[in-house]
Amino acid sequence: IVRIAWVFGVNGNNFIKTMLRLGKERGAVSVVNDQIGSPTYTYDLSKLVVDMIQTDKYGTYHATNEGLCSWYEFACEIFKQAKLDVEVTLVYALPKGDKFEFVLQKACELGVHHIIPLSSKRCVVKLTKDKFNKKLPRYQKILKEASEQSGRNRIPSIEEVKTIKELKPYLKDYNLVAYEETAKQHEHGELFHTLQQLKAGDQLLIIVGCEGGFDESEIQELNEMGVKCCSLGNRILRSETAPLYLMSVIGYSRELTK
């Protein structure tokens, strides 16, 4: 007989999935803090049971992972690991074709919080308010499905299409624009220094251009708002690659280097 408790895993219903679902539905979740247990991963448990079957051991055993926590502490850790600890807003100049939808999906999976479509001088695609509103349900469906697939506890918001002049109210603690001329000049420090300065709870806005990037006058306008230019390394990336590169680097910096 193997006695188990607080089991979670990829398959079936469990506390982690319940918390993520309730977080999406309600925004706030109440969890008791006076019950203590050992959350136990099904993969570890199954390996232990297989090992026990191959022995001559009989009797009653208690099988859990190491460590103790309350349901409240468990829930806090679930929500902590389900999202980036900094709030990222992606401003993305409208690209051609279905690239915008691709970036919506992948940026959501990588942890973006807010998305602002941008109409810039070099955008071939021009979305009027009516056209955008017709596409909005599809965009929201993509974000919802990507959130569910990646186990996030919230769905990113998406704003109406903005111009550069309209971005000022959306500026955050840190504001960066990916600019290919910065890369050509081998000035790679701004992104690195920004990531070094970020603290949990900070807000970061990243701006990426469409095919052809930004006009020099647009970069000057952004600089005057306090937005800093950054390079994404020695290579010139495609419009749909650049935002995902940035989100991946931010995620690595915040989640895998601690």
Side-chain angles (χ1 to χ4, degrees):
I1 299 174
V2 179
R3 301 185 65 181
I4 60 176
W6 294 34
V7 176
F8 68 91
V10 176
N11 299 310
N13 293 322
N14 56 65
F15 185 71
I16 293 178
K17 292 182 179 180
T18 299
M19 287 297 99
L20 293 176
R21 176 178 59 80
L22 292 177
K24 291 175 187 175
E25 295 173 355
R26 303 179 185 177
V29 179
S30 297
V31 184
V32 298
N33 65 356
D34 58 352
Q35 297 178 20
I36 307 299
S38 298
T40 302
Y41 185 33
T42 52
Y43 179 78
D44 296 334
L45 182 60
S46 62
K47 285 178 62 179
L48 174 64
V49 171
V50 169
D51 290 342
M52 292 177 68
I53 290 172
Q54 295 172 348
T55 70
D56 294 327
K57 295 180 178 178
Y58 295 92
T60 301
Y61 294 88
H62 298 269
T64 65
N65 282 130
E66 294 181 358
L68 295 170
C69 68
S70 67
W71 286 118
Y72 171 77
E73 291 169 328
F74 193 14
C76 288
E77 186 63 23
I78 290 167
F79 290 125
K80 177 182 175 182
Q81 294 198 25
K83 66 177 183 177
L84 287 174
D85 66 350
V86 295
E87 186 175 297
V88 182
T89 298
L90 169 63
V91 179
Y92 185 32
L94 292 166
K96 294 183 288 186
D98 59 0
K99 296 173 185 175
F100 183 73
E101 293 183 3
F102 172 78
V103 169
L104 274 185
Q105 181 190 65
K106 301 308 175 188
C108 177
E109 292 175 11
L110 291 166
V112 77
H113 290 77
H114 310 286
I115 298 169
I116 303 175
L118 180 68
S119 180
S120 64
K121 290 184 178 180
R122 295 178 182 173
C123 284
V124 175
V125 175
K126 303 295 181 184
L127 272 184
T128 63
K129 185 175 181 180
D130 287 342
K131 285 183 179 179
F132 176 82
N133 287 337
K134 288 179 181 178
K135 289 178 176 285
L136 185 58
R138 175 169 173 78
Y139 293 157
Q140 292 172 330
K141 181 174 183 287
I142 290 170
L143 292 171
K144 180 178 183 294
E145 290 176 351
S147 295
E148 292 171 350
Q149 187 277 327
S150 56
R152 295 188 59 181
N153 66 323
R154 60 169 292 174
I155 301 172
S157 65
I158 180 167
E159 297 284 337
E160 291 184 351
V161 180
K162 305 296 181 185
T163 64
I164 285 180
K165 291 184 184 298
E166 294 173 319
L167 289 181
K168 196 166 185 179
Y170 297 93
L171 296 181
K172 307 299 181 184
D173 302 315
Y174 299 92
N175 304 280
L176 297 174
V177 55
Y179 188 42
E180 62 273 13
E181 292 302 320
T182 308
K184 291 176 184 177
Q185 296 166 14
H186 303 288
E187 297 176 1
H188 305 312
E190 193 60 52
L191 177 58
F192 175 79
H193 292 316
T194 298
L195 295 177
Q196 291 286 90
Q197 294 174 57
L198 282 177
K199 306 181 299 297
D202 282 345
Q203 296 179 325
L204 169 65
L205 180 132
I206 53 177
I207 305 173
V208 177
C210 60
E211 303 88 349
F214 289 107
D215 184 85
E216 190 173 334
S217 63
E218 292 175 315
I219 293 296
Q220 183 177 349
E221 188 174 357
L222 287 168
N223 290 161
E224 289 172 356
M225 291 183 191
V227 179
K228 296 181 179 180
C229 295
C230 72
S231 82
L232 306 182
N234 294 324
R235 292 161 297 282
I236 304 300
L237 303 180
R238 290 179 180 271
S239 166
E240 67 271 28
T241 307
L244 307 184
Y245 174 94
L246 277 165
M247 290 303 305
S248 298
V249 169
I250 295 166
Y252 172 79
S253 171
R254 300 307 305 173
E255 297 177 345
L256 299 182
T257 59
K258 298 180 181 180

